[in-house]
Amino acid sequence: MKEVNKIFPDSVVSILGLGYVGLTLGVAMADAGFKVHGVEVRDTILDSLQKSKAHFWEQDLDETLKKVVESGNFSFSKSYDAVPPSDVYIITVGTPLDDSGQVRLDMIQNATHQIAENFKHGALVILRSTVRIGTARKVVKPILDMKGIYYELAVCPERTLEGNAMNELRQLPQIIGAETESTLFRASHLFSRLTPTTVRVDKWETAELIKLVDNTYRDVTFSFANEVARICDAIGVSSAQVIQAGKLGYPRTNVAWPGPVGGPCLEKDPHILSQSAEMYGVNLDVTVASRRVNERQPIETVESIVKFLVAKGINRNEVLKISILGLAFKGVPATNDLRGTVAKSIMTCLKQSFPHSRFIGFDPHVSDQDILDFGLEPAKSIEEAFDCSNLVVIANNNEQFKSLKIDSLSSSMRPMALVYDYWGLFVGKNLAMQNKVAYMALGNQTYSS
């Protein structure tokens, strides 16, 4: 270790917060040769780590976690008292929205206070959490300044895609935001041990804004695709045909595929960006409108589902069997992350519309206990989910769903039932649905039966 430190002086790292961002980063850094200690207050996460298991599913994470724990490069604790003297402190705690929709910064403040109580002269502090613009300058820096000793501060936002984080941590360019050349160089040197490319920007706010802009751009793009689906539903044409035909061989159009838009980033980062802009007297009309489109989608689509089933003679007060496939916030790359999943809103709207029904859930990556906690009865298989159902909802685009034999599965459903597909995984006119079961897709509500 001494020889390593001569070459890499910032080799001892403390990470505050071992949620998704902190744990994947910590394990990747430990695998690259850093000595990493993580601090986490949640007992469920610590209990899982004691077994060398992550508390969420991520490709290659458990295998690498086990390896770095056994090598001694990765350790963890609940108490900050166990943290070794570190060269680098990285803040990766969550920044959820509160009940009023405002971003919470209390966990950032708490983590920064912990660092201020323990860090030594010359430490490098990195803010990695997604934050409101100005958090490094107005929240983190004043707390660290109270220590009265020299330190360096950088903003290096997390950018990975869930399901592929362990690869992307070693491949994606890392944004480095700092206000002195020495800190830019130091943080770049640190991350160069993980990824071959770092991108330096000269203000903390620039780095904070990059993360928010990147995620909000995706939200806006997806919202336009969902607007296309809305107009296609109203007209009675296929959004799949509109989108695919429109961009075939035409380089100036690349409309995204419509579908539910949520998750731990896209459900909140546009709100954080909008709140940040308001602090500077700017209203982000497109950002706000786009998030509204994506948030109201469950209400609009469930209204269509209810209208269809009622027209087929279904009594909303009957005890129906309703199955939701795909509970994680996305299906590709696969994850078991239920944070911010639109399936929750879909379920809530369906329960309000069919108050006496039995609700079933199936997701190949989500545990039975998590499905129960979600508010659904877990199905042991896709076949069980379809059997005797009045409604089957495909809520994410998991690869397993794309290969379903929908027409043969429909034979086990109730007569006049409906399969509603939020991702348009099938071409309705090519299906031979049985038992008078109908298939409908978002953006193509003309149905096949």
Side-chain angles (χ1 to χ4, degrees), residues 80-294:
Y80 208 95
D81 296 337
V83 176
S86 302
D87 308 309
V88 181
Y89 297 84
I90 305 178
I91 300 172
T92 60
V93 296
T95 52
L97 304 181
D98 63 20
D99 292 340
S100 66
Q102 297 295 306
V103 61
R104 286 176 50 191
L105 297 177
D106 54 299
M107 287 181 277
I108 296 286
Q109 294 169 323
N110 293 338
T112 308
H113 277 294
Q114 286 187 316
I115 293 171
E117 292 168 4
N118 291 275
F119 78 111
K120 306 300 181 184
H121 176 87
L124 171 62
V125 179
I126 294 174
L127 177 60
R128 193 165 181 80
S129 305
T130 303
V131 294
R132 190 171 60 205
I133 299 168
T135 298
R137 189 177 305 280
K138 299 175 182 178
V139 177
V140 175
K141 184 178 182 295
I143 295 172
L144 297 177
D145 284 348
M146 290 190 294
K147 180 79 169 185
I149 63 175
Y150 175 75
Y151 66 91
E152 296 185 82
L153 175 61
V155 176
C156 305
E158 175 270 333
R159 313 183 79 196
T160 56
L161 180 70
E162 284 201 38
N164 197 34
M166 299 305 290
N167 289 323
E168 289 198 341
L169 280 164
R170 292 187 172 275
Q171 296 171 359
L172 286 181
Q174 175 60 59
I175 300 297
I176 310 290
E179 305 213 336
T180 66
E181 285 297 324
S182 63
T183 306
L184 283 170
F185 178 81
R186 184 177 177 184
S188 296
H189 189 244
L190 177 86
F191 279 101
S192 68
R193 293 177 63 184
L194 275 184
T195 183
T197 308
T198 59
V199 181
R200 305 178 191 181
V201 296
D202 62 2
K203 285 193 175 184
W204 296 316
E205 288 84 357
T206 305
E208 292 169 337
L209 183 56
I210 286 171
K211 173 61 185 288
L212 297 174
V213 166
D214 285 350
N215 279 344
T216 301
Y217 170 79
R218 295 173 61 222
D219 195 50
V220 170
T221 300
F222 296 147
S223 76
F224 180 71
N226 285 330
E227 289 275 63
V228 172
R230 292 176 73 214
I231 187 63
C232 287
D233 281 338
I235 295 171
V237 299
S238 166
S239 63
Q241 285 192 10
V242 169
I243 292 169
Q244 290 174 330
K247 63 184 177 183
L248 184 62
Y250 189 69
R252 289 181 292 282
T253 297
N254 190 24
V255 179
W257 202 255
V261 185
C265 294
L266 298 194
E267 71 152 354
K268 71 182 179 73
D269 290 4
H271 289 293
I272 298 176
L273 177 61
S274 179
Q275 292 166 23
S276 298
E278 288 173 0
M279 295 171 61
Y280 294 88
V282 177
N283 294 319
L284 301 183
D285 298 334
V286 172
T287 295
V288 173
S290 297
R291 185 86 292 261
R292 188 182 303 120
V293 167
N294 291 332

Side-chain angles (χ1 to χ4, degrees), residues 54-103:
H55 60 286
F56 54 87
W57 186 89
E58 177 71 32
Q59 184 177 345
D60 299 329
L61 178 57
D62 279 350
E63 296 87 344
T64 312
L65 172 61
K66 186 174 186 295
K67 181 174 72 171
V68 296
V69 169
E70 290 175 350
S71 72
N73 277 1
F74 185 78
S75 57
F76 48 88
S77 66
K78 184 173 185 177
S79 169
Y80 208 95
D81 296 337
V83 176
S86 302
D87 308 309
V88 181
Y89 297 84
I90 305 178
I91 300 172
T92 60
V93 296
T95 52
L97 304 181
D98 63 20
D99 292 340
S100 66
Q102 297 295 306
V103 61

